Amino acid sequence: MNDEVYERLRQWITTGTLLPGMKISIRSIADSFGVSTMPVREALRRLESDGLVVFGRRSVTVTLLSTDQVQQVFQIRLRLEQLAAEWAIDQVDEDDIADLESILAKMDRPDIGVDEWRHLNQDFHRRFYDCARSPHLLELIRNVWDKVEPYMAIYASTVQDFAEAQRQHSEMLELIRGRRLSALLTATAEHLDYTARTVVAALEGAAPPK
């Protein structure tokens, strides 16, 4: 029961159902899950150790990063993902390329929903980094993604469409196909910088970057 409550709350936070800065009522969560407050409180303590919630004197709040902290997390993500790209590029085969093409094709549907796009976006990046054959590196990347993911919900709800992100993904796929590591590292940096600037603009109430 404790693990189930933990996983459901974690999913609510990382998918943006519980937004950064939102106060969490332990009693309300317990009632909605049909459990006592104890497993909810224990789950929240685990989420606190994950950096996803903050316990105050009388409240529990979903962690809200400052714009500077968001940019720092994206910089950490960049370093890790560039390392994963470096390790993966020489191990990519035609089946891997086909899988990446399939994911991009699903993301390119004009009627795609925000949540589906976000899941496929993560699938695209993860599928390539799987080729690095490094469970330890992938675990570190997933931990950083968990901190970023609530803000990806903000990103996805801010942009008018995903055309620019899709263009960047397509460019990255072509570089992967051509085993052009140096250009891929640059494209990855530009891609994450664009995403970070979009999130920061949303947090500051500004128009998204072009």
Side-chain angles (χ1 to χ4, degrees), residues 13 19-24 26 43-65 69 151:
I13 292 171
L19 292 170
M22 183 179 292
K23 289 187 176 181
I24 297 174
I26 294 175
L44 288 171
R45 285 298 182 187
R46 290 174 64 185
L47 291 168
E48 181 186 32
S49 68
D50 294 340
L52 295 178
V53 303
V54 177
F55 272 76
R57 182 172 297 179
R58 296 182 179 178
S59 64
V60 183
T61 307
V62 180
T63 300
L64 175 62
L65 300 179
Q69 289 172 326
Y151 298 88

Side-chain angles (χ1 to χ4, degrees), residues 77-113:
R77 177 180 170 181
L78 172 61
R79 298 296 179 89
L80 292 173
E81 293 191 26
Q82 285 184 325
L83 180 59
E86 182 180 343
W87 289 357
I89 195 73
D90 291 330
Q91 305 193 66
V92 172
D93 60 27
E94 291 307 311
D95 288 339
D96 300 323
I97 297 293
D99 286 347
L100 293 170
E101 288 175 339
S102 176
I103 294 170
L104 280 191
K106 294 175 183 177
M107 295 174 72
D108 206 27
R109 291 196 344 262
D111 62 338
I112 192 168

Side-chain angles (χ1 to χ4, degrees), residues 16-199:
T17 301
L18 294 173
L19 292 170
M22 183 179 292
K23 289 187 176 181
I24 297 174
S25 167
I26 294 175
R27 170 53 63 188
S28 296
I29 294 293
D31 289 346
S32 66
F33 287 177
V35 298
S36 69
T37 59
M38 183 176 295
V40 176
R41 190 176 297 277
E42 291 179 0
L44 288 171
R45 285 298 182 187
R46 290 174 64 185
L47 291 168
E48 181 186 32
S49 68
D50 294 340
L52 295 178
V53 303
V54 177
F55 272 76
R57 182 172 297 179
R58 296 182 179 178
S59 64
V60 183
T61 307
V62 180
T63 300
L64 175 62
L65 300 179
S66 67
T67 55
D68 286 343
Q69 289 172 326
V70 168
Q71 291 171 327
Q72 287 175 4
V73 173
F74 269 94
Q75 282 297 309
I76 296 168
R77 177 180 170 181
L78 172 61
R79 298 296 179 89
L80 292 173
E81 293 191 26
Q82 285 184 325
L83 180 59
E86 182 180 343
W87 289 357
I89 195 73
D90 291 330
Q91 305 193 66
V92 172
D93 60 27
E94 291 307 311
D95 288 339
D96 300 323
I97 297 293
D99 286 347
L100 293 170
E101 288 175 339
S102 176
I103 294 170
L104 280 191
K106 294 175 183 177
M107 295 174 72
D108 206 27
R109 291 196 344 262
D111 62 338
I112 192 168
V114 169
D115 288 341
E116 184 182 1
W117 185 90
R118 285 176 48 232
H119 287 306
L120 288 171
N121 174 62
Q122 196 172 100
D123 287 345
F124 175 78
H125 292 285
R126 183 190 297 113
R127 181 63 184 83
F128 174 50
Y129 299 145
D130 280 343
C131 299
R133 310 288 191 266
S134 174
H136 298 300
L137 179 55
L138 292 178
E139 181 181 3
L140 291 173
I141 290 174
R142 281 193 293 268
N143 288 340
V144 174
W145 279 356
D146 283 345
K147 292 178 173 57
V148 168
E149 201 58 26
Y151 298 88
M152 291 302 295
I154 296 173
Y155 163 86
S157 63
T158 299
V159 296
Q160 291 184 341
D161 57 50
F162 302 114
E164 176 58 24
Q166 192 71 357
R167 183 196 68 77
Q168 294 173 9
H169 287 142
S170 296
E171 177 187 2
M172 293 166 71
L173 178 56
E174 288 307 308
L175 295 173
I176 293 168
R177 192 196 312 274
R179 279 41 173 205
R180 297 172 57 192
L181 177 59
S182 179
L184 176 61
L185 297 181
T186 298
T188 300
E190 292 173 349
H191 177 63
L192 292 182
D193 177 67
Y194 167 78
T195 306
R197 287 188 292 114
T198 303
V199 170

